[in-house]
Amino acid sequence: MATMKTVQIYTPGNVNVLTYEDVERPVLQKGEILVRVRAAGINPVDYVSRAHGLILSTGTSVLPYVVGWDVSGEVVGLGEGVTQFAVGDEVYGMPRFPHEAKAYSEYITAPVADLALKPRSLSHAEAAGIPLAGLTAWQSLFEVAHLQAGQTILITGGAGGVGHYAIQLAKWRGARVITTTSTRNVEFVRELGADVVIDYTRESLAEAVKDVDVVLDAIGEDVLRDSFKVVKRGGIVVSLPGHKGVKAVGEELAPQYGVTFVLTFVHTSGEHLAQMAELADAGQLRTHLDATFPLKDAGQAHTLSEGGHVRGKLALTVE
């Protein structure tokens, strides 16, 4: 049988449960393509699923479990009925989310609707950084908040994975962008296009900002509470679900401040990925890679990711 390298877990736990080993290559099904993975993006949801051993779509544990969703690579096989891609095409995407995608592997199969042609101007590692974080930013800004040119948006955590894409996408849409970050990332977010930067180590958000139309909250906790103080009545606060207590805080404060609160969940979309690829190739969207690691060192990548201070994205390279 044909084999490949993969990273999987047999029990939930810390980074030591990540096992780099040989497994059988996946078998193509109708409507799928076989991708030779060249890079896999790292997201916080990766280490959450590793720590708890959970299949996100069901909340149950099915082991062994191969971690990861974001991939970039080449098409090496076509399932029955596939006409959207050809062997040799370079593609990227977030297949099957929130079901198991097995991205930390040399080969994966993926439904054609979950993928798009890779941005030509980006490396595989840069492209692999986009799907989950980029789709989260795109869908939060344009599907949920309906951000318009001329509006003002506050993006908390602008130097992070979602944040650094959200700044660029909001500027492309024509919005005025305010963001929060630490001192070391002030110049970084300015270079991304932020109009106003709040250094949260030196300034109070509630004192420095007022009357924004939209908030994209990637932090939660006290930052989310302060976000309600700066948004206009009739505005909207969109929050990401990865932080404990976010839903309760949002539902408590939204009526008090006369704003809409939405807890958003990303969904896979080859169409949105294709649009972001066009922006990347036009020089309007880029990935900042804080670090890359070979597939066998996925544990090191998870340790860095769990530290919570990654600038932009991390990726695994799959040679």
Side-chain angles (χ1 to χ4, degrees), residues 193-257:
D195 298 289
V196 178
V197 180
I198 308 300
D199 180 347
Y200 65 75
T201 70
R202 300 181 178 183
E203 298 178 83
S204 164
L205 175 61
E207 294 176 0
V209 180
K210 63 179 181 179
D211 292 336
V212 304
D213 300 288
V214 176
V215 174
L216 176 55
D217 163 56
I219 304 297
E221 301 173 344
D222 291 341
V223 176
L224 174 59
R225 291 185 176 276
D226 284 344
S227 296
F228 280 94
K229 301 174 184 177
V230 306
V231 67
K232 294 176 180 177
R233 293 190 69 85
I236 183 170
V237 175
V238 182
S239 195
L240 309 185
H243 303 280
K244 186 176 180 181
V246 165
K247 185 173 185 289
V249 170
E251 292 179 348
E252 170 197 349
L253 294 181
Q256 296 178 26
Y257 287 93

Side-chain angles (χ1 to χ4, degrees), residues 250-269:
E251 292 179 348
E252 170 197 349
L253 294 181
Q256 296 178 26
Y257 287 93
V259 302
T260 300
F261 172 74
V262 179
L263 188 62
T264 187
F265 293 87
V266 68
H267 60 86
T268 189
S269 172

Side-chain angles (χ1 to χ4, degrees), residues 26-189:
V27 177
L28 268 173
Q29 303 296 322
K30 183 177 180 180
E32 295 180 344
I33 59 175
L34 179 66
V35 178
R36 171 58 168 95
V37 178
R38 294 298 178 184
I42 303 286
N43 296 286
V45 70
D46 297 5
Y47 62 73
V48 170
S49 61
R50 181 214 74 220
H52 300 284
L54 294 180
I55 305 298
L56 298 183
S57 56
T58 63
T60 58
S61 181
V62 179
L63 299 168
Y65 177 75
V66 180
V67 185
W69 283 274
D70 286 355
V71 296
S72 181
E74 297 116 25
V75 178
V76 294
L78 304 175
E80 180 186 346
V82 173
T83 59
Q84 296 92 328
F85 299 105
V87 171
D89 283 347
E90 293 187 324
V91 295
Y92 79 130
M94 182 185 72
R96 307 185 193 280
F97 189 85
H99 304 279
E100 186 181 18
K102 306 187 178 185
Y104 293 12
S105 304
E106 288 184 312
Y107 294 86
I108 66 164
T109 57
V112 292
D114 293 355
L115 300 175
L117 293 174
K118 180 186 81 69
R120 297 182 303 277
S121 58
L122 301 186
S123 68
H124 281 295
E126 290 169 332
I130 292 177
L132 195 150
L135 286 170
T136 298
W138 180 283
Q139 292 162 10
S140 297
L141 296 178
F142 306 142
E143 287 194 333
V144 178
H146 303 290
L147 184 68
Q148 301 297 318
Q151 288 188 315
T152 297
I153 181 171
L154 168 66
I155 299 167
T156 65
V162 173
H164 94 294
Y165 291 127
I167 290 172
Q168 298 174 78
L169 291 171
K171 289 301 295 181
W172 166 71
R173 181 52 61 93
R176 177 173 178 263
V177 175
I178 303 170
T179 193
T180 63
T181 194
S182 61
T183 305
R184 80 178 189 97
N185 289 319
V186 167
E187 288 306 314
F188 171 63
V189 296

